[in-house]
Amino acid sequence: MTEFTIVNMVGISKVGDNLDLNSISMALEGAEYEPEQFPGMVFRTKVPKAAFLIFQSGKVVCTGTRSFEEAQNALNLATSKLEEVGIKVLPDPKIDIVNIVASADIKSEINLNQVAIALGLENIEYEPEQFPGMVYRIKEPKVVLLLFSTGKIICTGARTKKDVEKALENLKTELTDLGFL
């Protein structure tokens, strides 16, 4: 298995209905709400470290955590803070992870020009004058890999750790089969 580090997880949940973000932002310490700039309220937790976008509909987006457990704990903390300021929240909301960002290093330099041609240009975006990495969209699992000539890889779009593992293993196999590793 290729080693990787999860650097960010994005999760969604629903904590209530028809939230008055203006009054919540005034009561909740650390909340930021500027509806003329963005329709959601921003709320950050320190431990676990996470940022929430909370919308009037009661839907929330949680970002900044590095595990499912950390995301769920952050959601639990956020809902208890909402309850502390008098907001009725749905009982026992669960977080659903919708995006995992992970980094890996294959510890080998990669000739991105040759790799782009070998992998097939239909799944590749590579314009070194615009961006130093190659964007490789794979179908199974459905993720995007950013490959850099240094051997560093960023995986985004995964929904599970297994998706990250599978994508990196598939890439390693492809690069080995093509003679790049």
Side-chain angles (χ1 to χ4, degrees), residues 14 16-21 33 39-40 54-59:
K14 183 162 174 81
D17 289 304
N18 201 22
L19 301 178
D20 181 353
L21 298 181
Y33 182 51
I54 303 173
F55 297 93
Q56 181 184 0
S57 64
K59 291 184 179 178

Side-chain angles (χ1 to χ4, degrees), residues 105-115 147-153 175 179-181:
D105 187 347
I106 57 174
K107 297 181 179 17
S108 176
E109 292 207 356
I110 307 169
N111 182 324
L112 295 179
N113 288 318
Q114 292 176 350
V115 171
L147 285 72
F148 296 90
S149 61
T150 60
K152 303 267 193 240
I153 300 167
L175 293 177
F180 294 111
L181 293 181

